[in-house]
Amino acid sequence: MANKSKFQAIRGTRDLLPPETALWNHVEQTAHAVFATFGFGEIRLPIFETTELFARSIGIETDVVSKEMYTFYDRPSEEQASKIFEMPPKTLTSGGEFIERKEKEAFQRYQSGESTTLRPEATASVCRAYIEHNMQQLSQPVKLYYMGPMFRRERPQKGRYRQFYQIGAEVLGGADTPAIDAEVIEMVMTFFDRLELTGIELDINSIGHNAPDCRPAYVQKLKAALEKVKDQLGADSQRRIETNPLRVLDSKLENEQPIIATLPRIADHLCDECKAHYAAVKRQLELRGVFFKENWRLVRGLDYYMRTTFEVTAQGLGSQNAVCGGGRYDGLVELLGGPPTKGIGFAIGEDRLILSLQEIGKGAAPQGRDVYIAWMGEHAYAAAVRAAKDLRRAGFSVELPPTESKFGKALERADKLRSRYALILGDNEVSEGLWTLKTLADGSQQKFTEPELLEYLRKQKALSS
Ligand code: AMP
């Protein structure tokens, strides 16, 4: 007997349904519109890339790469498959161990560079594309934005999914002028403002750069200070003292907060150039009327991140309250095999942005219809089809029921669908050439000829928009 158990979306993934999808579309259209006014062009990227791209750019010690990526071996090509098949059942690897054929297949695919990963973020892909398409030859900087799904195998909770959506932008090439940092941040805040997202906070920081007299000297001091309080820290923070002391500052553990408050702060250890850059970014933000809060604990744990970091948090999201994270990453393109290239960008978590908009009552209302066509009779049906076509061409949303029903029933359905008008078309109306339009809110009725009707609806629409 066939197994008829029902399917469910995989944990951490979800369907986005109407009317909520209208809000998603609104958010995305706003991003297209706002980013275009800042001169950004859209880049559409593949959903999967070679694993190495993410391992190298995000860093193999990060949680994202070490624990959260959806990685799989792509099918080998026929040629590769035949080679695997030809191999004897047991093979000696370069490491000197014998492995069975199944493991060997995986090993071979891994060796032939086919380890593939669903993208956990898109900055690496944008940089890869910049290099691959020689964008350094275009007028610099190149300003790109993207939107789409990302994949991380995190523990799902409110605001945290395994398939989630980001809207992000990157500025690549040109100079590292503070005005660019400020303009990127201004663009994010303009976007949120255009969406009327209230109750948000912008935090900024500078994490210096990777020269001996700047961040590395600070990290040494931080490490020494952390060693002294090691016993009072949790296991994660203790481990990070060795692997990545800056990340200790990220800790959200209640009992670690008073200890962290006593640690040395990077702002007191920036080199002169980074200090000047940070001061200029702040001045530039003020010039643009962008409010911010300095947060010395806002760090990025990878070497190629430098100077400006920023984050936007929103209300009503519980612990997952960051809706946008960004920063400068001047070393990344080079790390991926390209020429030395300045870079700065951000990623907005669209799922959280939508949740936050809904929290403050900016959710989407169910979509109604402008006109519901209540028709009865064969002649009326022909006129109804024609009217639907004309009205839709003029931009009205129209419900044309596929089967005839009594007017009373039709009007009930028109109401249920939140229609503004019902167009009543019986054979009488058609032979008279006068169509009845009922306004559902007050029950009033008016008669129109076919051309008058379109004219009237157009005028009403113009009045109400
Ligand atoms: P990141 O790429 O980690 O800097 O994240 C940038 C933004 O993406 C965050 O501020 C979140 O808003 C969002 N984000 C990251 N991971 C998730 C997730 N698993 N589910 C939903 N949103 C996420």
Side-chain angles (χ1 to χ4, degrees), residues 64 68 120-123 146 150-155 157 159-167 300 305 311-312 317 320-326 346-353:
V64 170
E68 296 169 1
E121 55 107 63
T123 302
Y146 60 83
M150 309 293 157
F151 305 86
R152 294 182 197 173
R153 203 173 188 291
E154 295 191 89
R155 203 168 47 77
Q157 64 179 88
R160 190 158 75 190
Y161 309 98
R162 291 180 171 175
Q163 174 172 340
F164 61 99
Y165 296 78
Q166 283 186 339
I167 299 176
R300 301 248 150 184
Y305 277 110
E311 187 173 84
V312 182
L317 295 179
Q320 305 299 313
N321 65 349
V323 285
C324 173
F346 64 81
I348 293 166
E350 194 177 357
D351 308 71
R352 293 185 196 173
L353 170 56

Short mmCIF file of all heavy atoms in Angstrom, two decimals, residues 64 68 120-123 146 150-155 157 159-167 300 305 311-312 317 320-326 346-353, ligand 1:
data_model
loop_
_atom_site.label_atom_id
_atom_site.label_comp_id
_atom_site.label_asym_id
_atom_site.label_seq_id
_atom_site.Cartn_x
_atom_site.Cartn_y
_atom_site.Cartn_z
N VAL A 64 29.90 29.19 11.47
CA VAL A 64 29.23 29.03 10.18
C VAL A 64 29.91 27.93 9.37
O VAL A 64 29.27 27.00 8.90
CB VAL A 64 29.22 30.36 9.39
CG1 VAL A 64 28.74 30.14 7.96
CG2 VAL A 64 28.34 31.39 10.07
N GLU A 68 27.84 24.80 10.48
CA GLU A 68 26.51 25.15 9.99
C GLU A 68 26.30 25.05 8.48
O GLU A 68 25.22 25.34 8.00
CB GLU A 68 26.18 26.60 10.43
CG GLU A 68 26.10 26.73 11.94
CD GLU A 68 26.04 28.17 12.40
OE1 GLU A 68 26.03 29.08 11.55
OE2 GLU A 68 26.01 28.39 13.62
N PRO A 120 26.00 30.21 2.76
CA PRO A 120 25.55 30.68 4.07
C PRO A 120 25.47 32.20 4.13
O PRO A 120 24.92 32.77 5.07
CB PRO A 120 26.62 30.16 5.02
CG PRO A 120 27.85 30.04 4.18
CD PRO A 120 27.42 29.82 2.76
N GLU A 121 26.04 32.87 3.13
CA GLU A 121 26.02 34.34 3.04
C GLU A 121 26.49 34.68 1.63
O GLU A 121 26.83 33.77 0.87
CB GLU A 121 26.93 34.96 4.10
CG GLU A 121 28.36 34.45 4.05
CD GLU A 121 29.33 35.44 3.50
OE1 GLU A 121 29.48 36.50 4.12
OE2 GLU A 121 29.96 35.19 2.45
N ALA A 122 26.51 35.94 1.26
CA ALA A 122 26.78 36.22 -0.15
C ALA A 122 27.99 37.11 -0.43
O ALA A 122 28.36 37.30 -1.58
CB ALA A 122 25.53 36.82 -0.80
N THR A 123 28.62 37.64 0.63
CA THR A 123 29.77 38.52 0.38
C THR A 123 30.87 37.80 -0.40
O THR A 123 31.44 38.36 -1.34
CB THR A 123 30.33 39.06 1.72
OG1 THR A 123 29.28 39.74 2.38
CG2 THR A 123 31.49 40.01 1.49
N TYR A 146 22.33 42.57 -3.54
CA TYR A 146 21.74 41.27 -3.84
C TYR A 146 20.62 41.00 -2.85
O TYR A 146 20.53 41.64 -1.80
CB TYR A 146 22.81 40.16 -3.71
CG TYR A 146 23.39 40.08 -2.33
CD1 TYR A 146 22.75 39.37 -1.31
CD2 TYR A 146 24.55 40.78 -2.00
CE1 TYR A 146 23.25 39.35 -0.03
CE2 TYR A 146 25.06 40.76 -0.70
CZ TYR A 146 24.40 40.04 0.27
OH TYR A 146 24.88 40.04 1.56
N MET A 150 19.67 32.26 2.06
CA MET A 150 20.95 31.77 2.57
C MET A 150 20.64 30.55 3.44
O MET A 150 19.51 30.40 3.91
CB MET A 150 21.64 32.83 3.43
CG MET A 150 21.77 34.19 2.79
SD MET A 150 22.88 34.18 1.38
CE MET A 150 22.29 35.63 0.50
N PHE A 151 21.66 29.73 3.67
CA PHE A 151 21.41 28.47 4.37
C PHE A 151 22.44 28.25 5.47
O PHE A 151 23.64 28.25 5.20
CB PHE A 151 21.48 27.31 3.37
CG PHE A 151 20.55 27.50 2.20
CD1 PHE A 151 20.95 28.24 1.08
CD2 PHE A 151 19.26 26.98 2.23
CE1 PHE A 151 20.08 28.46 0.02
CE2 PHE A 151 18.39 27.20 1.16
CZ PHE A 151 18.80 27.94 0.07
N ARG A 152 21.96 28.09 6.70
CA ARG A 152 22.86 27.76 7.81
C ARG A 152 22.14 26.77 8.71
O ARG A 152 20.98 26.99 9.08
CB ARG A 152 23.22 29.01 8.64
CG ARG A 152 24.03 30.02 7.87
CD ARG A 152 24.39 31.21 8.75
NE ARG A 152 24.80 32.31 7.90
CZ ARG A 152 25.05 33.54 8.34
NH1 ARG A 152 24.93 33.81 9.62
NH2 ARG A 152 25.42 34.48 7.50
N ARG A 153 22.88 25.72 9.11
CA ARG A 153 22.23 24.71 9.95
C ARG A 153 22.32 25.13 11.41
O ARG A 153 23.05 24.55 12.20
CB ARG A 153 22.88 23.35 9.72
CG ARG A 153 21.95 22.23 10.09
CD ARG A 153 22.49 20.88 9.73
NE ARG A 153 21.48 19.86 9.95
CZ ARG A 153 21.04 19.48 11.12
NH1 ARG A 153 21.51 20.03 12.22
NH2 ARG A 153 20.12 18.54 11.22
N GLU A 154 21.54 26.16 11.75
CA GLU A 154 21.51 26.65 13.13
C GLU A 154 20.31 26.03 13.83
O GLU A 154 19.45 25.43 13.20
CB GLU A 154 21.36 28.17 13.14
CG GLU A 154 22.56 28.87 12.53
CD GLU A 154 22.51 30.37 12.80
OE1 GLU A 154 23.04 30.78 13.84
OE2 GLU A 154 21.97 31.11 11.97
N ARG A 155 20.26 26.21 15.15
CA ARG A 155 19.10 25.70 15.89
C ARG A 155 17.94 26.68 15.68
O ARG A 155 18.04 27.85 16.04
CB ARG A 155 19.44 25.60 17.39
CG ARG A 155 18.57 24.63 18.15
CD ARG A 155 19.15 24.34 19.53
NE ARG A 155 19.53 25.58 20.21
CZ ARG A 155 18.67 26.43 20.78
NH1 ARG A 155 17.39 26.16 20.77
NH2 ARG A 155 19.10 27.52 21.37
N GLN A 157 14.75 28.97 15.91
CA GLN A 157 13.96 29.64 16.94
C GLN A 157 13.37 30.89 16.30
O GLN A 157 13.58 31.12 15.11
CB GLN A 157 14.83 29.99 18.16
CG GLN A 157 15.93 31.00 17.85
CD GLN A 157 16.75 31.34 19.08
OE1 GLN A 157 17.71 30.67 19.38
NE2 GLN A 157 16.35 32.39 19.80
N GLY A 159 13.00 34.09 14.62
CA GLY A 159 14.00 34.95 13.98
C GLY A 159 15.26 34.22 13.55
O GLY A 159 16.20 34.84 13.09
N ARG A 160 15.27 32.88 13.74
CA ARG A 160 16.44 32.14 13.27
C ARG A 160 15.99 30.90 12.51
O ARG A 160 15.31 30.05 13.07
CB ARG A 160 17.34 31.76 14.44
CG ARG A 160 18.68 31.22 13.94
CD ARG A 160 19.74 31.33 15.00
NE ARG A 160 19.53 30.30 16.02
CZ ARG A 160 20.18 30.26 17.18
NH1 ARG A 160 21.03 31.20 17.50
NH2 ARG A 160 19.94 29.30 18.02
N TYR A 161 16.37 30.83 11.26
CA TYR A 161 15.91 29.76 10.39
C TYR A 161 17.12 29.12 9.71
O TYR A 161 18.21 29.67 9.71
CB TYR A 161 14.94 30.31 9.33
CG TYR A 161 13.85 31.13 9.95
CD1 TYR A 161 13.94 32.52 10.00
CD2 TYR A 161 12.76 30.51 10.57
CE1 TYR A 161 12.97 33.28 10.63
CE2 TYR A 161 11.79 31.26 11.20
CZ TYR A 161 11.90 32.64 11.23
OH TYR A 161 10.95 33.39 11.85
N ARG A 162 16.89 27.96 9.11
CA ARG A 162 17.98 27.31 8.38
C ARG A 162 18.02 27.78 6.94
O ARG A 162 19.06 27.78 6.31
CB ARG A 162 17.84 25.80 8.50
CG ARG A 162 18.11 25.35 9.92
CD ARG A 162 17.98 23.87 10.13
NE ARG A 162 18.48 23.54 11.47
CZ ARG A 162 18.42 22.34 12.00
NH1 ARG A 162 17.89 21.33 11.32
NH2 ARG A 162 18.92 22.13 13.20
N GLN A 163 16.86 28.09 6.40
CA GLN A 163 16.83 28.85 5.14
C GLN A 163 16.26 30.22 5.52
O GLN A 163 15.13 30.32 5.97
CB GLN A 163 15.93 28.19 4.10
CG GLN A 163 15.80 29.08 2.85
CD GLN A 163 15.10 28.43 1.68
OE1 GLN A 163 15.00 27.22 1.59
NE2 GLN A 163 14.60 29.23 0.77
N PHE A 164 17.08 31.24 5.37
CA PHE A 164 16.62 32.59 5.68
C PHE A 164 17.02 33.49 4.52
O PHE A 164 17.70 33.06 3.59
CB PHE A 164 17.21 33.06 7.02
CG PHE A 164 18.72 33.13 7.03
CD1 PHE A 164 19.38 34.33 6.84
CD2 PHE A 164 19.47 31.99 7.21
CE1 PHE A 164 20.78 34.40 6.84
CE2 PHE A 164 20.87 32.04 7.20
CZ PHE A 164 21.51 33.24 7.02
N TYR A 165 16.58 34.74 4.59
CA TYR A 165 16.77 35.61 3.43
C TYR A 165 17.57 36.84 3.82
O TYR A 165 17.36 37.41 4.89
CB TYR A 165 15.41 36.02 2.86
CG TYR A 165 14.66 34.82 2.33
CD1 TYR A 165 14.00 33.95 3.19
CD2 TYR A 165 14.67 34.52 0.98
CE1 TYR A 165 13.35 32.82 2.71
CE2 TYR A 165 14.02 33.39 0.49
CZ TYR A 165 13.36 32.55 1.37
OH TYR A 165 12.74 31.42 0.89
N GLN A 166 18.47 37.20 2.98
CA GLN A 166 19.24 38.42 3.23
C GLN A 166 19.12 39.39 2.06
O GLN A 166 18.97 38.98 0.90
CB GLN A 166 20.73 38.09 3.42
CG GLN A 166 21.05 37.52 4.80
CD GLN A 166 22.54 37.33 5.03
OE1 GLN A 166 23.32 37.25 4.09
NE2 GLN A 166 22.93 37.23 6.29
N ILE A 167 19.17 40.66 2.42
CA ILE A 167 19.31 41.72 1.42
C ILE A 167 20.63 42.39 1.78
O ILE A 167 20.81 42.82 2.91
CB ILE A 167 18.15 42.74 1.52
CG1 ILE A 167 16.81 42.04 1.28
CG2 ILE A 167 18.37 43.89 0.56
CD1 ILE A 167 15.60 42.96 1.45
N ARG A 300 34.46 41.84 14.62
CA ARG A 300 34.43 40.75 13.64
C ARG A 300 35.72 39.99 13.87
O ARG A 300 36.77 40.61 13.98
CB ARG A 300 34.41 41.30 12.22
CG ARG A 300 33.25 42.18 11.93
CD ARG A 300 32.33 41.51 10.97
NE ARG A 300 30.98 41.95 11.22
CZ ARG A 300 29.93 41.47 10.57
NH1 ARG A 300 30.08 40.56 9.65
NH2 ARG A 300 28.73 41.89 10.83
N TYR A 305 38.79 41.71 8.17
CA TYR A 305 37.87 42.79 8.56
C TYR A 305 38.67 43.91 9.18
O TYR A 305 39.61 43.68 9.93
CB TYR A 305 36.83 42.28 9.57
CG TYR A 305 35.68 41.59 8.89
CD1 TYR A 305 35.51 40.24 9.00
CD2 TYR A 305 34.80 42.33 8.10
CE1 TYR A 305 34.47 39.60 8.34
CE2 TYR A 305 33.76 41.69 7.45
CZ TYR A 305 33.61 40.34 7.57
OH TYR A 305 32.59 39.72 6.93
N GLU A 311 26.11 47.53 13.21
CA GLU A 311 25.01 46.59 13.40
C GLU A 311 23.74 47.40 13.69
O GLU A 311 23.81 48.43 14.36
CB GLU A 311 25.33 45.69 14.59
CG GLU A 311 24.33 44.56 14.79
CD GLU A 311 24.79 43.59 15.87
OE1 GLU A 311 24.53 43.89 17.05
OE2 GLU A 311 25.37 42.56 15.53
N VAL A 312 22.64 46.92 13.18
CA VAL A 312 21.36 47.56 13.50
C VAL A 312 20.51 46.54 14.25
O VAL A 312 20.37 45.40 13.81
CB VAL A 312 20.61 48.02 12.22
CG1 VAL A 312 19.31 48.72 12.58
CG2 VAL A 312 21.50 48.93 11.38
N LEU A 317 12.13 41.45 18.89
CA LEU A 317 12.65 40.24 18.26
C LEU A 317 13.28 39.27 19.26
O LEU A 317 13.84 38.26 18.89
CB LEU A 317 13.69 40.59 17.18
CG LEU A 317 13.16 41.37 15.97
CD1 LEU A 317 14.29 41.68 15.01
CD2 LEU A 317 12.09 40.57 15.25
N GLN A 320 17.20 37.33 19.14
CA GLN A 320 17.71 37.45 17.76
C GLN A 320 17.32 38.82 17.22
O GLN A 320 16.50 38.93 16.31
CB GLN A 320 17.13 36.34 16.87
CG GLN A 320 17.36 34.94 17.41
CD GLN A 320 18.84 34.61 17.55
OE1 GLN A 320 19.62 34.86 16.64
NE2 GLN A 320 19.23 34.08 18.69
N ASN A 321 17.91 39.87 17.79
CA ASN A 321 17.40 41.20 17.47
C ASN A 321 18.25 41.98 16.46
O ASN A 321 17.96 43.12 16.15
CB ASN A 321 17.20 42.02 18.75
CG ASN A 321 18.52 42.30 19.45
OD1 ASN A 321 19.54 41.72 19.08
ND2 ASN A 321 18.51 43.16 20.42
N ALA A 322 19.32 41.34 15.93
CA ALA A 322 20.13 42.04 14.93
C ALA A 322 19.45 41.92 13.56
O ALA A 322 19.19 40.81 13.10
CB ALA A 322 21.52 41.45 14.87
N VAL A 323 19.13 43.06 12.96
CA VAL A 323 18.52 42.99 11.62
C VAL A 323 19.52 43.30 10.52
O VAL A 323 19.25 43.07 9.34
CB VAL A 323 17.30 43.93 11.45
CG1 VAL A 323 16.10 43.38 12.17
CG2 VAL A 323 17.60 45.34 11.89
N CYS A 324 20.69 43.81 10.90
CA CYS A 324 21.68 44.12 9.87
C CYS A 324 23.07 44.11 10.48
O CYS A 324 23.27 44.63 11.58
CB CYS A 324 21.38 45.50 9.28
SG CYS A 324 22.65 46.08 8.14
N GLY A 325 24.01 43.51 9.77
CA GLY A 325 25.40 43.54 10.21
C GLY A 325 26.28 43.92 9.04
O GLY A 325 26.01 43.52 7.90
N GLY A 326 27.31 44.72 9.32
CA GLY A 326 28.16 45.10 8.20
C GLY A 326 29.53 45.53 8.65
O GLY A 326 29.81 45.66 9.84
N PHE A 346 27.19 45.17 3.84
CA PHE A 346 26.31 44.78 4.95
C PHE A 346 25.34 43.72 4.45
O PHE A 346 25.18 43.52 3.25
CB PHE A 346 25.51 45.99 5.45
CG PHE A 346 24.57 46.58 4.42
CD1 PHE A 346 23.33 46.02 4.18
CD2 PHE A 346 24.96 47.68 3.65
CE1 PHE A 346 22.47 46.55 3.21
CE2 PHE A 346 24.11 48.21 2.68
CZ PHE A 346 22.87 47.63 2.46
N ALA A 347 24.75 43.02 5.43
CA ALA A 347 23.66 42.09 5.10
C ALA A 347 22.52 42.33 6.08
O ALA A 347 22.73 42.38 7.29
CB ALA A 347 24.14 40.65 5.19
N ILE A 348 21.33 42.49 5.52
CA ILE A 348 20.14 42.67 6.34
C ILE A 348 19.41 41.32 6.40
O ILE A 348 19.27 40.65 5.38
CB ILE A 348 19.20 43.71 5.68
CG1 ILE A 348 19.86 45.10 5.71
CG2 ILE A 348 17.83 43.73 6.35
CD1 ILE A 348 19.18 46.11 4.81
N GLY A 349 18.99 40.92 7.60
CA GLY A 349 18.19 39.70 7.72
C GLY A 349 16.74 40.04 7.39
O GLY A 349 16.06 40.69 8.18
N GLU A 350 16.29 39.59 6.22
CA GLU A 350 14.95 40.00 5.77
C GLU A 350 13.85 39.39 6.63
O GLU A 350 12.85 40.05 6.92
CB GLU A 350 14.76 39.61 4.29
CG GLU A 350 13.57 40.29 3.65
CD GLU A 350 13.42 39.95 2.17
OE1 GLU A 350 14.28 39.23 1.61
OE2 GLU A 350 12.42 40.40 1.58
N ASP A 351 14.05 38.13 7.08
CA ASP A 351 13.02 37.49 7.91
C ASP A 351 12.78 38.32 9.18
O ASP A 351 11.64 38.55 9.58
CB ASP A 351 13.48 36.09 8.35
CG ASP A 351 13.92 35.24 7.19
OD1 ASP A 351 15.00 35.53 6.61
OD2 ASP A 351 13.20 34.30 6.83
N ARG A 352 13.89 38.74 9.80
CA ARG A 352 13.77 39.52 11.04
C ARG A 352 13.21 40.91 10.76
O ARG A 352 12.45 41.44 11.57
CB ARG A 352 15.14 39.65 11.71
CG ARG A 352 15.63 38.32 12.20
CD ARG A 352 16.91 38.46 12.97
NE ARG A 352 17.54 37.15 13.10
CZ ARG A 352 18.73 36.95 13.60
NH1 ARG A 352 19.44 37.98 14.01
NH2 ARG A 352 19.22 35.74 13.69
N LEU A 353 13.60 41.48 9.66
CA LEU A 353 13.06 42.79 9.30
C LEU A 353 11.53 42.71 9.15
O LEU A 353 10.79 43.55 9.67
CB LEU A 353 13.71 43.24 7.98
CG LEU A 353 13.14 44.47 7.28
CD1 LEU A 353 13.15 45.67 8.20
CD2 LEU A 353 13.95 44.79 6.02
P1 AMP B 1 25.69 37.72 9.24
O1 AMP B 1 25.81 37.31 7.80
O2 AMP B 1 25.87 36.57 10.20
O3 AMP B 1 26.48 38.95 9.58
O4 AMP B 1 24.15 38.12 9.44
C1 AMP B 1 23.58 39.28 8.91
C2 AMP B 1 22.12 39.31 9.28
O5 AMP B 1 21.46 38.17 8.72
C3 AMP B 1 21.87 39.19 10.77
O6 AMP B 1 21.93 40.44 11.39
C4 AMP B 1 20.49 38.59 10.82
O7 AMP B 1 19.52 39.61 10.69
C5 AMP B 1 20.44 37.73 9.59
N1 AMP B 1 20.63 36.29 9.91
C6 AMP B 1 21.79 35.62 10.11
N2 AMP B 1 21.56 34.32 10.36
C7 AMP B 1 20.22 34.14 10.34
C8 AMP B 1 19.33 33.01 10.53
N3 AMP B 1 19.79 31.79 10.77
N4 AMP B 1 18.00 33.22 10.43
C9 AMP B 1 17.50 34.46 10.17
N5 AMP B 1 18.28 35.54 9.97
C10 AMP B 1 19.61 35.40 10.06
#
